[in-house]
Amino acid sequence: MAKELERAGFPTATVTSLAAVAVKVGANRVVRGDRFSHPCGRPGLPRAEERAWRVELVRTALRALATRVEGPTVFELRS
Amino acid sequence: MRIVHYLNQFFAGIGGEEHADMPPGSRPGAVGPGLALQKLLGGNGEIVGTVFCGDGLIGDRPDVVVPDIVTLIDAFAPDVVVAGPAFGAGRYGLGCARVCAAVGARLRIAALAAMAPDNVAVELHRREIVIVPTTATAVGMPGALAAMARLALRLGRGESLGPAAIDGYVPRGRRMNTWAQASASARAVALLQARLRGEPFSTEVPLPRYDRVTPPPPVADPARMRLALVTECGLVPAGNPDHLEWVRASKWLRYGLDGVDDLARGDYEVAHGGYDAAFAVEDPDRLVPVDAVRELARSGEIGEVLDAYYVTCGNHGVLGQMATHAREIAADLRRQHVDAVLLVAT
Amino acid sequence: MHLEVAAFPVHQARLGAPAAYDAGALTIDPDIVRRLVLDDPRIADVQLELAHPGESVRVLRALDAIEPLHKPGAAVSAFPGFLGPPRTAGHGLTHRLAGFTVVQVTDFPFPASGVQAFEEGVIEMSGPGAAYSGCADRVNVFLVLTPGRAVSNVDYDDAVRRAALRVADHLAALTIGHVPEHVETFDHGGEHAGRHRVVWVHQVRAQGPMVQSFLYGEQISGMLPTVLDPNELLDGALVGANYKTGSKTPTYVHTRHPSLLALSARHGRELHVAGVIVARGHHENEFLKERSAHFVAKLATVQRADGALCTYEATGNTHIDFMLTVQALERAGIPAASVVHEYGGPLGDDPPLVDFVPEAITLASTGGIDRRLSLPAVDRVIGGARLAHRGEPAHGPLDLPIQELFAATATMNERGALAVDY
């Protein structure tokens, strides 16, 4: 989906557990999420910490959207 | 069987590059390589006419020129049209391909073009028309003409073609099921042994190439953007009221987030058969991070969040259909003046 | 390890007494089967149905299909870990009811969603679907089960698997004292003497309940890749419990996999079989996928493999696990030839592969699984009136993609289906 949205002109931050695949397929702004069944979650953490992690994940997506890229690029959460 | 042959200005014997803008013309009977082609056809088919045009002209003004060429071809009332061989020549290949495509579309007559497999016209047109592969240069003219004759007669008789590798044409982008004598495992063992012995081998599944998309320019200031949430993870309201399928989804859906700050347990479920849904059911923000984007909107780091999210299911999705869904979603996003997307993918 | 497999083919089965095997005819005593199945209170009832190849029969809600095996008087049992202690099998003598399967047909007692939900895989005994359907070319007894006092779907699944294995064991044991039609010898020892050493990499589904495989009686979700002697699979060390449509590998394929047969037939002649590496797929993230892929390549290196035959079960993100494994093998200097099923959409004009690596240059195809089939109305339906996951009436004509037939991908491998460019 990412490439079609990008083709339509929308800067798109793709959050996925399979960042390497997203890069190979050609999505340009890729954010590495957590596991396949909860890419925007970390169930092992206490609620409040998980929520804070998720906010950081979305901040990473914002950073990706605001960054000029030349091709598929992976953005990691800053720990 | 009546055959019309399309050539460029050079093979029609008019001249070289200086005549590349030559307008379309025609002559009864065979011309240039058509003479050798006629010998190969024998009594089974007759080249009743030859149509030609300058490479440059058909390259620059196809919209004007191709219809004229089709009219000239139609005047000979052919059963089948052959074009080329263009070998590696790009403009000539494109000219042949466009003529064949137009003949098929407008006259509903079978047509084939001949050119080298890496001619630029091949990737653009192989799905639309039948292309006979040739060598890169005219050194392979005899073989090219023989292949053209063979396939022209079959197409002219209205025969459907078998597999590309057997019937000798460039694959047209469809793969169909058939049966071999041996199991796939046994055939894989045979391929492996050929590789280990250094013998030639032929993979049964050629690898695709992914196209690149130019990255859209970045968002100038996220604090002023309108952001939309899209997901392929199949998150839908509890009860899946619109019956999103959890394999090979046939649709995409839009669900409101008006007044929703946080996706609540029990309000959503997962229509996706490919992963354990328990974590997402417990906290749906783990699939669509509404709570986080709301917090960042309140803090001013995101300008505005669209009051709905978009969902489809990426499980065993038919790729062409998923691309269509994405285009339709994009059109919807455009109508709502969305600036950027956060996509959660599987 | 030296194993002799005595084949007792079944051409005809009927219900009656006394239970017996006689020159291709199997008589199944329903009372004995009921007793064996209902010994477990987690199952409330069982009805028996039979189907032979070519009959106008459609079967729904089929879980696993098992070809009965029995090791007469042996210290170790067939299906070790279930029918006996988890001791190494694959040696001695095994009796096999060839061309016959025991199939469980049942709903699960509790609701399930996501990956744990059952996905229909229809068995078609005749018509255009039969060529792609598991069980269609063999005689089958269907145990149509009603759940009893099971506390969860996982609990019921355990009961259902053990019941079917008990029945399979009983039926195979009916061959004791009879003369087999033929005996095969499986022995992958000996010196490799300059022959190419080839491992078979067998990636199976083990994501969790309902999408699981069992090795020596224990589920393998947490398992790192491991090495087995091929004979262990022939004796039922690996049992399938994956209930997702056409991409599941039933136990009767694990015990007679076309990869094992293809390699074994060439052992000692053109090549030397250097073991089977069993690995799970569908790892939850890239880290675990990569870890498993490299483990497979390391084991293949330890086995001194010159080449690898690679197969995998199921679809979805497990393609990635598989392709990473192929890549790791190739980069470790071990050429890999792989069996892959293709997509391509209903018309075959979509890309055939969901994921691939540039190193995957040696592929054999089992055909496109999302081409569609028009199936006719049938005389008899076993396992319910409507399809489990879509609710269409089952008696009438159906329009289905190939991948909604039971064990379609494994069947297409066996039967030689492939896709070619048009």
Side-chain angles (χ1 to χ4, degrees):
Chain A
M1 276 226 173
K3 279 161 62 181
E4 289 303 329
L5 294 170
E6 290 182 316
R7 244 189 274 269
F10 293 99
T12 302
T14 302
V15 177
T16 175
S17 66
L18 303 172
V21 172
V23 161
K24 184 170 16 179
V25 170
N28 284 300
R29 293 179 169 94
V30 178
V31 175
R32 189 186 305 280
D34 204 77
R35 294 189 172 202
F36 200 77
S37 45
H38 45 80
C40 301
R42 293 196 61 193
L45 294 176
R47 284 245 125 195
E49 283 182 48
E50 184 186 6
R51 164 76 169 261
W53 175 87
R54 185 157 46 251
V55 169
E56 276 314 304
L57 178 74
V58 177
R59 279 205 178 100
T60 309
L62 298 183
R63 181 159 54 87
L65 291 172
T67 304
R68 175 165 302 281
V69 296
E70 299 305 318
T73 310
V74 179
F75 293 81
E76 311 270 3
L77 261 82
R78 293 192 173 128
S79 38
Chain B
M1 187 182 306
R2 299 171 63 86
I3 299 170
V4 167
H5 190 185
Y6 172 80
L7 294 171
N8 71 357
Q9 82 283 2
F10 172 76
F11 284 99
I14 313 291
E17 190 56 35
E18 69 284 7
H19 292 282
D21 287 338
M22 192 193 81
S26 69
R27 220 170 274 168
V31 171
L35 296 165
L37 180 58
Q38 179 62 74
K39 284 209 181 68
L40 291 163
L41 291 164
N44 296 310
E46 186 193 349
I47 299 177
V48 295
T50 302
V51 175
F52 37 83
C53 183
D55 277 346
L57 188 65
I58 193 174
D60 294 338
R61 313 286 324 276
D63 45 319
V64 171
V65 161
V66 169
D68 290 345
I69 291 171
V70 171
T71 303
L72 289 171
I73 290 173
D74 197 21
F76 287 108
D79 301 301
V80 61
V81 172
V82 300
F87 302 106
R91 285 181 312 169
Y92 187 13
L94 283 168
C96 291
R98 286 172 173 147
V99 166
C100 288
V103 161
R106 280 186 43 191
L107 303 181
R108 298 240 167 282
I109 294 171
L112 69 85
M115 65 190 81
D118 59 358
N119 190 307
V120 294
V122 168
E123 200 45 46
L124 293 170
H125 291 284
R126 64 185 175 91
R127 287 161 200 273
E128 289 171 87
I129 64 168
V130 176
I131 299 178
V132 171
T134 70
T135 51
T137 69
V139 129
M141 179 66 85
L145 294 177
M148 288 169 74
R150 199 173 53 239
L151 270 180
L153 290 173
R154 292 187 58 191
L155 289 176
R157 284 195 287 265
E159 284 180 29
S160 27
L161 297 181
I166 295 177
D167 282 2
Y169 60 94
V170 173
R172 300 184 61 189
R174 277 186 69 179
R175 287 176 68 77
M176 310 219 339
N177 288 343
T178 183
W179 299 95
Q181 293 282 64
S183 70
S185 292
R187 301 193 317 267
V189 171
L191 287 174
L192 181 63
Q193 290 187 290
R195 257 190 87 178
L196 292 174
R197 290 185 199 129
E199 292 162 8
F201 66 92
S202 215
T203 187
E204 293 181 354
V205 189
L207 300 182
R209 290 169 298 231
Y210 282 115
D211 63 334
R212 284 266 166 271
V213 175
T214 305
V219 170
D221 184 1
R224 307 230 310 255
M225 76 174 171
R226 173 178 282 191
L227 179 73
L229 296 169
V230 178
T231 184
E232 295 170 3
C233 298
L235 187 75
V236 293
N240 195 4
D242 299 293
H243 309 295
L244 182 65
E245 304 96 325
W246 33 293
V247 294
R248 294 177 295 285
S250 69
K251 57 187 142 195
W252 56 271
L253 297 157
R254 224 194 101 144
Y255 290 111
L257 291 174
D258 229 0
V260 175
D261 265 1
D262 192 327
L263 300 183
R265 171 190 187 141
D267 286 354
Y268 295 88
E269 68 180 57
V270 172
H272 190 303
Y275 65 90
D276 185 350
F279 297 113
V281 165
E282 195 188 318
D283 183 357
D285 298 284
R286 289 172 176 154
L287 291 192
V288 181
V290 171
D291 59 355
V293 299
R294 289 292 195 210
E295 188 174 312
L296 290 167
R298 282 193 296 273
S299 72
E301 287 165 75
I302 297 176
E304 206 187 320
V305 179
L306 188 69
D307 61 359
Y309 77 96
Y310 296 79
V311 57
T312 186
C313 173
N315 191 26
H316 301 197
V318 176
L319 293 174
Q321 194 162 59
M322 291 201 64
T324 304
H325 293 167
R327 281 194 290 274
E328 290 169 355
I329 291 174
D332 212 53
L333 293 174
R334 214 173 283 121
R335 278 191 285 275
Q336 296 172 94
H337 309 294
V338 166
D339 299 304
V341 174
L342 193 157
L343 170 70
V344 185
T346 49
Chain C
M1 273 198 236
H2 188 94
L3 175 70
E4 314 239 310
V5 178
F8 297 85
V10 174
H11 304 300
Q12 257 306 310
R14 65 178 196 96
L15 302 181
Y21 172 85
D22 184 22
L26 184 68
T27 303
I28 301 171
D29 185 337
D31 289 338
I32 297 179
V33 172
R34 285 182 68 82
R35 194 171 31 77
L36 286 169
V37 171
L38 301 180
D39 186 51
D40 187 333
R42 296 178 291 179
I43 301 173
D45 191 29
V46 55
Q47 299 296 318
L48 271 62
E49 299 272 0
L50 297 174
H52 294 76
E55 289 177 351
S56 176
V57 173
R58 177 170 293 154
V59 185
L60 314 177
R61 296 174 176 77
L63 298 185
D64 187 25
I66 299 158
E67 190 174 70
L69 303 170
H70 180 82
K71 297 182 76 68
V76 66
S77 67
F79 304 109
F82 285 108
L83 295 178
R87 296 182 194 147
T88 305
H91 50 91
L93 171 66
T94 302
H95 283 211
R96 171 187 161 233
L97 272 183
F100 182 81
T101 67
V102 176
V103 185
Q104 314 113 331
V105 170
T106 182
D107 268 322
F108 281 92
F110 300 94
S113 74
V115 77
Q116 293 197 16
F118 170 75
E119 253 175 50
E120 190 68 87
V122 175
I123 296 176
E124 284 284 286
M125 295 300 297
S126 63
Y132 302 95
S133 167
C135 299
D137 63 349
R138 48 205 74 207
V139 180
N140 310 284
V141 65
F142 298 96
L143 306 178
V144 185
L145 304 167
T146 305
R149 299 208 295 270
V151 303
S152 66
N153 286 344
V154 172
D155 191 35
Y156 182 60
D157 178 44
D158 179 67
V160 156
R161 178 166 34 264
R162 291 176 187 278
L165 287 168
R166 288 195 295 277
V167 171
D169 183 58
H170 152 69
L171 294 175
L174 295 174
T175 62
I176 295 172
H178 290 264
V179 176
E181 187 199 73
H182 62 268
V183 178
E184 292 164 294
T185 301
F186 293 93
D187 191 323
H188 305 98
E191 287 306 308
H192 75 269
R195 285 180 263 273
H196 290 125
R197 294 176 59 88
V198 177
V199 290
W200 170 32
V201 175
H202 186 31
Q203 181 183 298
V204 300
R205 190 160 196 169
Q207 249 175 312
M210 310 307 159
V211 277
Q212 189 57 268
S213 304
F214 287 80
L215 185 61
Y216 283 94
E218 179 66 14
Q219 54 92 0
I220 60 169
S221 296
M223 187 185 82
L224 271 173
T226 192
V227 178
L228 302 180
D229 186 290
N231 292 4
E232 298 177 74
L233 271 70
L234 292 164
D235 262 355
L238 192 60
V239 168
N242 170 20
Y243 305 138
K244 290 293 193 186
T245 64
S247 54
K248 62 179 143 206
T249 303
T251 298
Y252 78 79
V253 173
H254 283 309
T255 57
R256 297 288 292 186
H257 200 284
S259 298
L260 191 153
L261 298 177
L263 287 173
S264 196
R266 290 165 180 72
H267 177 81
R269 301 204 317 250
E270 301 115 73
L271 52 80
H272 183 98
V273 179
V276 181
I277 299 173
V278 175
R280 61 155 285 192
H282 283 104
H283 287 93
E284 277 271 293
N285 60 28
E286 276 171 15
F287 174 84
L288 294 173
K289 289 177 191 306
E290 193 178 351
R291 180 171 178 265
S292 182
H294 283 263
F295 226 91
V296 169
K298 182 256 305 296
L299 289 176
T301 305
V302 166
Q303 296 298 103
R304 293 179 291 132
D306 298 305
L309 169 67
C310 302
T311 57
Y312 67 114
E313 173 182 19
T315 56
N317 75 78
T318 208
H319 291 287
I320 299 162
D321 302 58
F322 183 73
M323 285 295 171
L324 288 176
T325 303
V326 167
Q327 184 176 64
L329 286 161
E330 292 277 354
R331 290 183 178 178
I334 299 171
S338 308
V339 175
V340 296
H341 52 270
E342 300 186 32
Y343 287 97
L347 298 178
D349 53 2
D350 252 8
L353 297 177
V354 168
D355 189 56
F356 62 94
V357 293
E359 292 84 355
I361 59 173
T362 315
L363 302 179
S365 163
T366 62
I369 60 172
D370 44 6
R371 310 297 181 274
R372 300 195 75 91
L373 294 169
S374 288
L375 306 180
V378 294
D379 293 344
R380 180 160 62 112
V381 176
I382 298 169
R386 295 182 169 270
L387 263 55
H389 69 318
R390 269 211 307 260
E392 288 135 290
H395 254 103
L398 292 176
D399 178 76
L400 294 181
I402 291 172
Q403 68 177 311
E404 289 182 20
L405 292 175
F406 184 89
T409 47
T411 303
M412 289 161 88
N413 180 346
E414 269 183 348
R415 304 254 181 88
L418 76 160
V420 293
D421 280 327
Y422 270 73

